[in-house]
């Protein structure tokens, strides 16, 4: 124990029996600084409705509903809401790199009347709309574009509430849906200032100014930050709705990265993983489903307990992984042990940042020629093995990443991809995985959005030395998104690596906690079925796996060789 | 890319710092050394963390993981370094060893703290893991929890350390002290839990007295009380008070803390 050397003591007598608020008041009187009991704001979700959702409901209610019949017959690989067809126990879907498989571990799913598959709200969408089996239970921009062409933009995914850049824009005009059509982004609208789990307003550590508003939604008098129901709009990709036993596992009372409080399951009172959403705002599959129904489906009400139970049961038995590689052949027979959906379904949650239990098992089986293997398959498989080694054992300097370089490991830290992507079978972070990778915070957000330009032999998109953009505005993909200026108050600690003034297109976790340290922190995704669901990162900045690899290379100066990059792409493509 | 340029600049800077003959005064073995400086990291395969004071380079510790005793500082920030000069004058990675040593990352940014020293032929510092994957599956987060307490129960104090001027951020090992206090309170059916938040400071070797911000003690109390409540401690049995702690340059980091006193 530490030595105790007191000089003087001020007894405030702040007995906590009355309420945490009274306690806070006592401290304010004593120290002149506001305090809050975080525990009070981290619980209090009732009926599976989190504290920020009622405000979202109000905005969803005023967003226009445009009901239009589709022009064309549905595509065979597209699942429309309310379709009367069973979801098979196992089915493969083609993609650019081969095939992704969806495995229903509980067997064939009867979707008729199933709340995951039925349109429950006013806009005709169902959960399945944005969690398509062919897209690894997410939604690829390729599918979105195909669906636009197939339906003349009348599919419910293009609903005004969030399938448009802003509901104020003219429907049916592709420009009104450009962020969805070109980057696969849906509008996420959240109350600002943030609301705690119990609905109480959080006093944020920073202020927000809108610097750039290409969608018009953040300055809209109806939907924006200064509307009667103040909301901030950010734009994010749908996350994968499969392999949930891994995503919902883990979680202690306190975040091991900073000591913040973990959310609790409102039904069990137990801490949860907080891995479900980009900003960690919803604790459970049920609360997430409730919010999604109210916002994305425009359900003017609540899902019933029976509906929530059925949605959760479905989510907990569906698995997704690439099952066949166009260049490498089968990923389920004579293949590395962690590949394919069956391996995922049968695997166990755990820490995979070590040689004893590598996140994606070992790839030894592909190190030696296999019977019947073609030369091109051999070459590809050897590349995948090398890519796995680059991912798992090749160190590079990782720098200025909040919630990694701040947790006691030092900044920078020389480590590997597997340091953060450490969850067995999934490759997400088994600790709460929100980090500021730079994909939404300037200056790196501009690099992330313009990786292809950065790789071209001319000036970089953003010059770190001069702090100026070197990219013509019309060519800057980051300009498609809003830009906010966040200023941390003097009483608060600054962002650990960006200081007190931060420019960002999505404050991420900070929109939930109100904390400067969380600005731009986004929960990393699982890595399964990547081949089926481009683009990547929460804001779709990486259009391809190669752009994803290129961003990491630039962000961390990893100095990958061309061979290493291709090997990484090949490795990622078989997950 | 510009960060490559930074690396080049760091290389040049590193050469200057690493060059012998810059030390102005040899440190006394066993002397306490408290100072604020930009941290430096040496680009050996296992990185070594260093800091410079009065032209002398000091070794702080190796890159490790959350199970290590030494938690490294952060480039981009100055650090408060409080250590003891190794009695035998040992040098690692070019620096005089400070051991024990504690590092507080100062919250505000300092862009001048941006130096990665070249390996320059130095060997890896002593370490328990390399930059690659761990050899053990038992990471920090999988550590076993202590056995439940057995009667007779007694009043127990749990100290939660904080970095200088910090009231929000806790390392995992320090959060665990709060968990331990809450578990103990539950196990013994505590009648009272007292939370004492301290504001302290640091006496530097040059005589400078650094005082933590005025509200840091009450902020620390707010943090810890919230954690205890979250861990299931009945708010009705919790009292709190702030206190100013004295500091004299000897292990001052021990005074920047919250004490949780759990009473049967």
């Amino acid at each position: 124990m530490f030595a105790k050397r007191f000089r003087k003591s001020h007894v405030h007598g702040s007995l906590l029996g009355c309420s945490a608020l009274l306690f806070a008041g006592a401290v304010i009187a004593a120290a002149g600084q506001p305090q809050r009991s975080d525990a009070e704001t981290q619980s209090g979700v009732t009926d599976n409705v989190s504290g920020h959702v009622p405000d979202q409901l109000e905005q969803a209610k005023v967003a226009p509903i445009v009901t239009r019949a589709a022009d064309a017959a549905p595509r065979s690989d597209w699942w429309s809401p309310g379709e009367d067809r069973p979801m098979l126990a196992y089915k493969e879907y083609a993609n650019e790199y081969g095939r992704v498989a969806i495995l229903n571990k509980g067997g064939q799913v009867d979707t008729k009347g199933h709340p995951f598959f039925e349109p429950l709200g006013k806009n005709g969408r169902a959960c399945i709309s944005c969690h398509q089996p062919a897209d690894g239970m997410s939604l690829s921009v390729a599918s979105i574009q195909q669906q636009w062409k197939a339906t003349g933009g009348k599919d419910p995914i293009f609903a005004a509430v969030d399938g448009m850049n802003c509901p104020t824009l003219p429907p049916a005009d592709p420009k009104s849906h450009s962020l969805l059509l070109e980057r696969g982004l849906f509008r996420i609208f959240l109350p600002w200032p943030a609301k705690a789990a119990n609905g109480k307003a959080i006093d944020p550590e920073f202020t927000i100014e809108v610097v750039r508003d290409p969608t018009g939604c953040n300055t809209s008098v109806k939907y924006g930050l200064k509307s009667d129901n103040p909301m901030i709009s950010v734009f994010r990709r749908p996350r994968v709705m499969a392999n949930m036993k891994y995503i919902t596992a883990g979680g202690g009372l306190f975040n091991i990265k900073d000591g913040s409080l973990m959310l609790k399951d409102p039904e069990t009172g137990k801490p949860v993983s907080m891995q479900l959403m980009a900003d960690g705002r919803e604790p459970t599959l049920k609360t997430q489903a409730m919010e999604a129904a109210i916002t994305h489906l425009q359900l003017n009400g609540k899902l019933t307990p029976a509906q929530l139970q059925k949605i959760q049961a479905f989510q907990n038995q569906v698995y997704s992984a690439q099952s066949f590689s166009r260049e490498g052949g089968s990923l389920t027979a004579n293949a590395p042990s962690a590949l394919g959906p069956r391996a995922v379904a049968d695997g166990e949650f755990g820490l995979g940042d070590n040689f004893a239990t590598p996140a994606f098992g070992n790839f030894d089986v592909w190190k030696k020629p296999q019977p019947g293997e073609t030369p091109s398959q051999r070459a590809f498989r050897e590349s995948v093995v090398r890519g796995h080694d680059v991912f798992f054992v090749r160190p590079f300097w990782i720098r200025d990443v909040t919630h990694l370089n701040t947790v006691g490991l030092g900044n920078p830290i020389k480590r590997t991809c597997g340091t953060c992507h450490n969850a067995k079978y999934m490759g997400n972070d088994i600790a709460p995985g929100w980090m500021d990778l730079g994909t939404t915070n300037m200056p790196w957000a501009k690099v992330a959005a313009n990786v292809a330009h950065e790789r071209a032999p001319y000036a970089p998109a953003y010059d770190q030395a001069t702090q100026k953009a070197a990219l013509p505005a019309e060519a800057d993909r980051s300009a498609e998104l809003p830009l906010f200026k966040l200023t941390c108050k003097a009483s608060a600690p600054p962002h650990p690596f960006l200081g007190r003034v931060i420019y960002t297109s999505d404050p991420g976790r900070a929109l939930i906690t109100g904390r400067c340290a969380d600005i731009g922190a986004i929960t990393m995704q699982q890595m399964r079925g990547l081949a089926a669901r481009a683009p990547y990162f929460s804001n779709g900045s990486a259009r391809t796996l190669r752009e994803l690899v290129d961003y990491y290379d630039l962000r961390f100066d990893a100095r990958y060789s061309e061979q290493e990059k291709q090997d990484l792409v090949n490795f990622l493509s078989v997950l | 890319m510009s960060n490559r340029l930074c690396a080049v600049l760091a290389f040049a800077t590193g050469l200057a710092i690493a060059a012998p003959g810059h030390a102005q005064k040899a440190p006394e073995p066993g002397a306490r050394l408290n100072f604020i400086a930009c941290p430096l990291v040496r680009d050996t395969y296992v990185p070594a963390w260093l800091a410079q004071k009065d032209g002398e380079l000091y070794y702080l510790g190796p890159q490790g993981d959350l199970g290590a005793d030494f938690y490294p500082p952060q480039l981009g920030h100055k650090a408060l370094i409080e250590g003891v000069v190794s009695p035998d004058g040992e040098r690692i990675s070019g620096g005089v060893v400070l051991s024990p040593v504690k590092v507080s990352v100062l919250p505000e940014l300092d862009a001048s703290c941006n130096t990665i020293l070249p390996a320059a032929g130095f060997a890896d510092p002593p370490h328990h893991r390399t930059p690659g994957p761990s050899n053990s599956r038992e990471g920090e987060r999988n550590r076993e929890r202590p056995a439940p307490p057995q009667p007779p129960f007694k009043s127990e104090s749990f100290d939660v350390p904080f970095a200088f001027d910090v009231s929000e951020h806790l390392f995992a090992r320090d959060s665990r002290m709060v968990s331990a206090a809450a578990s103990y309170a539950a196990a013994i059916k505590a009648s009272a839990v007292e939370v004492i938040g301290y504001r302290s400071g640091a006496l530097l070797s040059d005589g400078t007295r650094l005082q933590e911000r005025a509200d840091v003690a009450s902020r620390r109390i707010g943090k810890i009380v919230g954690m205890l409540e979250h861990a299931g401690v009945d708010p009705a049995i919790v009292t709190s008070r702030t206190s100013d702690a004295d500091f004299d340059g000897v292990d001052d980091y021990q005074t920047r803390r919250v004490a949780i006193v759990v009473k049967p």
Side-chain angles (χ1 to χ4, degrees):
Chain A
M1 285 298 153
F2 289 160
K4 301 171 182 62
R5 293 174 290 158
F6 308 160
R7 187 171 64 198
K8 57 187 178 182
S9 196
H10 310 291
V11 178
H12 300 313
S14 50
L15 191 69
L16 294 183
C18 300
S19 74
L21 191 59
L22 282 179
F23 162 71
V27 176
I28 290 169
Q33 286 292 332
Q35 297 287 331
R36 68 169 185 256
S37 165
D38 286 338
E40 184 192 21
T41 57
Q42 291 294 93
S43 58
V45 174
T46 55
D47 288 343
N48 288 300
V49 178
S50 295
H52 57 272
V53 175
D55 290 344
Q56 292 177 306
L57 170 63
E58 292 307 309
Q59 180 160 131
K61 280 161 62 176
V62 299
I65 307 290
V66 181
T67 305
R68 296 178 297 156
D71 290 342
R75 296 152 44 208
S76 61
D77 60 351
W78 179 265
W79 207 296
S80 293
E83 280 190 34
D84 184 12
R85 59 167 160 158
M87 190 176 183
L88 302 178
Y90 181 91
K91 184 171 171 59
E92 295 185 344
Y93 301 85
N95 57 49
E96 174 186 1
Y97 292 94
R99 297 194 294 270
V100 69
I102 303 299
L103 169 67
N104 285 301
K105 196 169 184 181
Q108 179 173 299
V109 177
D110 181 6
T111 67
K112 186 170 178 59
H114 194 297
F116 191 88
F117 297 84
E118 291 291 333
L120 303 175
K122 292 182 176 178
N123 61 22
R125 281 188 192 151
C127 305
I128 192 73
S129 298
C130 297
H131 300 286
Q132 291 283 329
D135 295 349
M137 300 305 285
S138 177
L139 192 57
S140 71
V141 79
S143 278
I144 293 166
Q145 291 174 358
Q146 289 171 31
Q147 200 63 5
W148 178 271
K149 290 176 184 171
T151 67
K154 295 172 183 174
D155 188 280
I157 62 168
F158 302 107
V161 63
D162 58 3
M164 263 188 196
N165 297 353
C166 190
T168 54
L169 298 171
D173 182 348
K175 291 178 183 173
S176 303
H177 304 268
S178 62
L179 289 176
L180 181 55
L181 284 168
E182 293 165 21
R183 299 174 68 134
L185 303 179
F186 288 87
R187 188 175 70 96
I188 305 296
F189 44 99
L190 295 163
W192 187 257
K195 294 286 179 69
N198 62 4
K200 287 190 175 182
I202 287 176
D203 181 21
E205 293 180 348
F206 55 87
T207 59
I208 298 181
E209 299 169 59
V210 180
V211 176
R212 181 179 66 215
D213 191 25
T215 71
C217 236
N218 283 294
T219 50
S220 163
V221 295
K222 191 172 182 180
Y223 299 101
L225 278 159
K226 294 184 178 176
S227 67
D228 292 341
N229 179 26
M231 288 271 168
I232 186 167
S233 290
V234 292
F235 296 84
R236 296 177 184 162
R237 298 274 296 122
R239 293 170 77 85
V240 175
M241 209 303 300
N243 313 325
M244 285 293 121
K245 75 175 180 185
Y246 297 97
I247 306 304
T248 57
L253 277 168
F254 310 125
N255 184 342
I256 72 163
K257 294 177 174 178
D258 62 5
S260 59
L261 308 184
M262 299 290 284
L263 288 172
K264 293 178 179 176
D265 183 330
E267 293 187 344
T268 67
K270 293 181 178 175
V272 298
S273 70
M274 298 183 70
Q275 306 275 34
L276 288 174
M277 309 194 78
D279 52 24
R281 69 182 182 274
E282 290 293 355
T284 66
L285 291 171
K286 287 184 178 178
T287 66
Q288 188 276 331
M290 185 72 85
E291 180 189 327
I294 288 170
T295 56
H296 301 310
L297 275 55
Q298 291 180 279
L299 171 67
N300 185 11
K302 296 178 183 175
L303 296 174
T304 67
Q307 287 173 319
L308 288 170
Q309 193 63 39
K310 201 163 184 180
I311 290 171
Q312 179 186 256
F314 169 71
Q315 292 174 323
N316 279 333
Q317 62 80 57
V318 65
Y319 292 89
S320 168
Q322 192 81 343
S323 59
F324 182 84
S325 168
R326 198 180 61 195
E327 295 185 75
S330 174
L331 304 177
T332 58
N334 296 322
S337 59
L339 299 186
R342 184 73 63 186
V344 179
D346 294 342
E348 291 183 358
F349 168 81
L351 182 61
D353 69 345
N354 55 79
F355 285 114
T357 55
F360 295 108
N362 75 67
F363 284 66
D364 289 353
V365 68
W366 275 4
K367 287 181 177 173
K368 296 176 182 175
Q370 300 285 308
E373 196 176 51
T374 67
S376 62
Q377 283 178 331
R378 174 93 304 261
F380 181 83
R381 290 173 178 183
E382 288 175 353
S383 172
V384 169
V385 172
R386 289 193 302 269
H388 173 258
D389 288 346
V390 171
F391 172 85
F392 195 58
V393 302
R394 182 196 187 283
F396 55 92
W397 284 111
I398 305 170
R399 182 167 179 172
D400 296 348
V401 178
T402 312
H403 301 306
L404 174 71
N405 294 112
T406 53
V407 305
L409 296 170
N411 179 47
I413 182 172
K414 190 188 285 185
R415 282 283 187 88
T416 73
C417 303
T419 291
C420 297
H421 298 277
N422 55 51
K424 285 171 66 180
Y425 293 94
M426 292 295 104
N428 62 325
D429 182 4
I430 70 167
W434 52 82
M435 299 182 185
D436 170 16
L437 182 60
T439 53
T440 68
N441 283 350
M442 293 289 285
W444 285 104
K446 190 178 280 280
V447 176
N450 299 289
V451 162
H453 184 91
E454 290 274 351
R455 278 295 170 213
Y458 32 83
Y462 193 84
D463 190 317
Q464 300 283 320
T466 64
Q467 300 278 296
K468 289 180 180 175
L471 187 68
E474 62 276 14
D476 178 9
R477 290 185 73 234
S478 71
E480 298 165 3
L481 293 170
L483 186 66
F484 307 100
K485 178 185 179 184
L486 276 54
T487 304
C488 298
K489 298 172 183 173
S491 59
H495 184 284
F497 303 118
L498 295 173
R500 295 194 170 275
V501 178
I502 299 103
Y503 290 86
T504 183
S505 61
D506 184 347
R509 176 78 183 146
L511 288 179
I512 308 306
T513 65
R515 290 187 169 136
C516 288
D518 290 330
I519 294 172
I522 303 285
T523 308
M524 75 175 70
Q525 284 257 31
Q526 62 169 282
M527 295 170 64
R528 302 316 295 252
L530 285 167
R533 53 184 172 90
Y536 310 102
F537 296 132
S538 67
N539 60 9
S541 55
R543 290 171 288 196
T544 63
L545 290 175
R546 176 56 191 258
E547 286 195 358
L548 181 150
V549 170
D550 278 342
Y551 176 67
Y552 279 99
D553 186 45
L554 290 163
R555 173 67 179 81
F556 298 120
D557 197 16
R559 307 186 187 200
Y560 290 134
S561 67
E562 278 300 308
Q563 181 69 67
E564 286 177 316
K565 289 177 185 175
Q566 188 58 54
D567 292 341
L568 274 170
V569 167
N570 290 342
F571 163 67
L572 297 172
S573 77
V574 302
L575 297 176
Chain B
M1 281 300 293
S2 54
N3 48 353
R4 287 186 179 146
L5 175 63
C6 289
V8 172
L9 293 173
F11 183 82
T13 311
L15 282 177
I17 292 172
H22 279 64
Q24 295 175 350
K25 182 181 176 183
E28 295 288 333
R32 291 186 178 273
L33 206 52
N34 304 331
F35 61 104
I36 290 177
C38 284
L40 313 164
V41 60
R42 189 178 295 287
D43 191 10
T44 36
Y45 178 63
V46 177
W49 284 91
L50 304 141
Q52 190 182 29
K53 174 177 167 50
D54 297 334
E56 180 60 271
L57 202 58
Y58 292 93
Y59 171 76
L60 308 177
Q63 174 182 296
D65 60 22
L66 297 185
D69 290 332
F70 171 70
Y71 279 12
Q74 298 171 14
L75 296 189
H77 296 262
K78 280 195 167 72
L80 167 62
I81 294 157
E82 298 164 288
V84 177
V85 178
S86 173
D88 57 7
E90 180 188 11
R91 281 183 180 268
I92 295 176
S93 201
V96 175
V97 173
L98 294 181
S99 179
V101 65
K102 290 288 179 182
V103 170
S104 265
V105 176
L106 301 185
E108 299 296 336
L109 288 183
D110 189 325
S112 68
C113 300
N114 189 33
T115 301
I116 298 177
L117 299 171
F122 285 101
D124 286 344
H127 57 274
H128 76 278
R129 69 166 290 173
T130 69
S134 168
N135 287 315
S136 166
R137 73 172 66 191
E138 292 301 325
E140 167 74 6
R141 53 197 103 185
N142 288 343
R143 275 189 176 179
E144 288 184 9
R145 299 296 184 258
Q150 301 298 320
F153 301 125
K154 58 186 174 69
S155 186
E156 191 81 54
S157 183
F158 299 82
D159 272 9
V160 185
F162 282 85
F164 188 90
D165 252 356
V166 169
S167 57
E168 274 297 315
H169 187 282
L170 276 182
F171 296 128
R173 63 185 178 193
D174 303 329
S175 296
R176 195 166 296 123
M177 295 305 293
V178 184
S179 300
S183 298
Y184 189 69
I188 70 169
K189 296 183 170 53
S191 65
V193 174
E194 185 180 23
V195 178
I196 310 162
Y198 291 96
R199 177 199 184 205
S200 186
L203 177 61
L204 303 187
S205 297
D206 65 3
T208 304
R209 288 180 66 83
L210 300 177
Q211 187 85 40
E212 292 189 289
R213 53 191 292 175
D215 62 351
V216 78
S218 58
R219 286 175 175 270
R220 286 171 179 165
I221 287 175
K223 170 80 175 177
I224 298 302
V225 167
M227 294 175 77
L228 288 169
E229 188 181 338
H230 195 63
V233 175
D234 181 359
I237 67 169
V238 179
T239 58
S240 68
R241 61 185 169 92
T242 61
S243 179
D244 284 348
D246 200 2
F247 55 94
D248 56 9
V250 179
D251 297 338
D252 289 342
Y253 54 85
Q254 292 186 350
T255 66
R256 301 188 288 267
R257 64 186 177 120
V258 166
I260 307 168
V261 183
V262 181
K263 302 171 184 175

